[in-house]
Amino acid sequence: MNIAILGYGVVGSGVDHIITTRGQNKHHVTKVWSRPNPKKQIPHLVSTIKEIINDESIDCVVETLNGIEPAHEHILACLNAGKHVISANKAVIAKYYEEFQAAAKKNDVQFKFEASVGGGIPWLKELGRAKRIDTITSCSGILNGTSNYILSTMTKEQADFEAVLKDAQALGFAEANPSADIDGFDVLNKIMITANVGFNGRVQAEDFLVCSMRPVTASDIQYFKNKGYTLKYLGQVEAENQQYEGSVMINACLEDSLEANTNQNYNCATLQGDTIGTLTFYGQGAGQFPTAHAIVQDLLDLESDRPQVNQELQDFTFHAKTKNNFWIRTNQQIPEKFIAGQDNQYSQLMPMNLIEFKENLLPLLKKEDLVVRMPL
Amino acid sequence: MNIAILGYGVVGSGVDHIITTRGQNKHHVTKVWSRPNPKKQIPHLVSTIKEIINDESIDCVVETLNGIEPAHEHILACLNAGKHVISANKAVIAKYYEEFQAAAKKNDVQFKFEASVGGGIPWLKELGRAKRIDTITSCSGILNGTSNYILSTMTKEQADFEAVLKDAQALGFAEANPSADIDGFDVLNKIMITANVGFNGRVQAEDFLVCSMRPVTASDIQYFKNKGYTLKYLGQVEAENQQYEGSVMINACLEDSLEANTNQNYNCATLQGDTIGTLTFYGQGAGQFPTAHAIVQDLLDLESDRPQVNQELQDFTFHAKTKNNFWIRTNQQIPEKFIAGQDNQYSQLMPMNLIEFKENLLPLLKKEDLVVRMPL
């Protein structure tokens, strides 16, 4: 099988390395398209994407570009040219999931994207398998290595956010602009893809409660630790009867939970199914070889699995039915009717669902204010 | 696809329930063979196994008997009659792995056994997938729900072994004769099957160091807790260049490790691969529906995966190359040259490999003596 790679950064070159060193002569990277990069020599480099799209000898295209365009355009062109596409690009998949699936179906090829959520963890594979038997009712997890590295380092070293972020940037664990990782948009993309796969549900970004992790301080961490909880940045989505709700926010996790003990840049992802119960997967959520490994697994599945047609998404409606136990730290005036209790700087809110929180509380809070969800 | 079930206990009837309620008319349980059971009405019951073996309309046989015979004989007869076989019976698989694989290959059918290790956790599936790309160097985990339930209850309630065992038996979490679960033979079977799948390695039961968990007391647990460790009963096997070593024993796990936080009857299993790094799977290691779920996953894989021929096992030689940090609690006289340090009733041994331990220490210890492996 001949393969082209779009993008030759950390992940793209990792895919090339794994295929070249372990392809057992069954797989060959024959062309690479990349933005011009004078810093490194790129093998098999072509100057235009057309040289890949029009090359009938290429069976599969691996897309490791970041961002929406030109990734969106190139993925569609490759699918429409009758090539399988494997993508690690969660932003473009979350946005164009249905368009890519439809194009794959029309052209009788596969669109695969294991590496887009949970890096090296076979999360989407096993979520899809569990769904064959079970109704999946909930998915949640630590799905961003950068924010988890920062938060677990703050917890371990009792350090504040800005100092740890700076270290993480120096070490290459956080980008110069870390917003997608720490303000929740990366996790939101991943939890939306998770909902697409786990529930066959069409979900809307604006329905989710997304709170940045920036407000967390070392003393917040200590305060909740004294209560037996570890603060973690979780994505979460629940569904029942085509209704759903979800969030990306700081959660207070029981200190003996797997989430509380998922440290450094590790990820963990958990599903709940009606016969399988709780199933959790833990591993490297990012990094060159774990991510490349997940892409090569998709590649091998093209041959080991019979072709599958993904079910079309159903309309899901947002329905905030669960009462949450929110705690906040703020200097703003909060109407008393929303306050269940107060302790030092922290207020426990009356139990409320996501809509009640978004409508009544969120407009009152400033960006430095902390929101934490505790178990009920 | 028509299916026969051998054994109609907790797991067998669970498989019937899942297939009947969710088979979407693609799968049908048409015959059941079981030991006579006057306590319950068994649907589709046949009086002799021949009625299944000779029935050409049956495509797949699910074996949920316990023990070696007649399971061994029946599995072979079904494979030789050209039927796929799915088994949950770790004892018979660990013993006859190669014979079953050879019979499946000869008859061009599949022999599948996901449920035999880790219950509902897709451990063997993902171990096999990881191996497609990586060299697997190590596998370990909490692979027995009964012993983990006992040990985690002892830890939580500061209770002693006998009292917790009695409660577990009353609750149905432990059998009247709990030996296989708490003396390590069940975990040994599972870790041997793991080695077969993960390394393609032919391993021998007698090479493993197997220590019962019976000697652990509440005060042992407390002693190691004070040092920052949680005692867990782990199976473990490592391999490199067709050499291997392994054990089933109490390990002192760092209190923030996933193993230390795997409680009740949950299992967790971890692999190490050279590109994927650490990958851990956590879920229900036993129980009616999780185990039945794993069996039905095998059934669905018969249709969704292209037929695969498992690689033949290679001869692996036992090679105790790793130095271990063993701690013991004993009243026996231990030669001073083996002792690195002493603290209360506990002796830390000089670093030694498995062979040194088995040859020099094991013969000196009595059954009430505790052996714990600490991280180096």
Side-chain angles (χ1 to χ4, degrees), chain A residues 112-159:
Chain A
K112 299 180 79 75
F113 46 93
E114 178 64 65
S116 67
V117 185
I121 303 172
W123 165 242
L124 297 177
K125 175 83 178 179
E126 289 301 336
L127 183 58
R129 289 179 84 238
K131 187 183 66 174
R132 303 191 299 188
I133 298 172
D134 278 15
T135 299
I136 309 296
T137 54
S138 151
C139 296
S140 64
I142 295 169
L143 297 173
N144 181 280
T146 301
S147 56
N148 197 46
Y149 174 83
I150 293 173
L151 203 46
S152 64
T153 304
M154 287 171 68
T155 304
K156 191 177 165 201
E157 301 179 359
Q158 298 172 32

Side-chain angles (χ1 to χ4, degrees), chain A residues 126 129 132 297 301 306, chain B residues 126 129 132 297 301 304:
Chain A
E126 289 301 336
R129 289 179 84 238
R132 303 191 299 188
Q297 289 289 4
D301 281 353
R306 296 183 201 276
Chain B
E126 289 300 338
R129 289 180 83 241
R132 304 190 298 187
Q297 289 289 4
D301 281 352
S304 66

Side-chain angles (χ1 to χ4, degrees), chain A residues 22 120 126 129 132-134 256 258 261 274-276 278 280-283 290 293 297 301 303-304 306, chain B residues 22 120 122 126 129 132-134 256 258 261 274-276 278 280-283 290 293 297 301 303-304 306:
Chain A
R22 312 170 184 218
E126 289 301 336
R129 289 179 84 238
R132 303 191 299 188
I133 298 172
D134 278 15
D256 65 351
L258 296 197
N261 293 285
D274 57 346
T275 71
I276 194 66
T278 300
T280 300
F281 304 86
Y282 167 95
H293 179 111
Q297 289 289 4
D301 281 353
E303 296 169 321
S304 66
R306 296 183 201 276
Chain B
R22 314 173 181 217
E126 289 300 338
R129 289 180 83 241
R132 304 190 298 187
I133 298 171
D134 277 15
D256 65 351
L258 296 196
N261 293 285
D274 57 346
T275 71
I276 194 64
T278 300
T280 300
F281 303 86
Y282 168 94
H293 180 111
Q297 289 289 4
D301 281 352
E303 296 168 322
S304 66
R306 297 183 201 275

Side-chain angles (χ1 to χ4, degrees), chain B residues 114 117 121-128 139 194 269-271 279 281:
Chain B
E114 179 63 66
V117 184
I121 302 172
W123 165 242
L124 297 178
K125 174 84 179 177
E126 289 300 338
L127 183 58
C139 296
T194 293
T270 298
L271 65 85
L279 206 52
F281 303 86

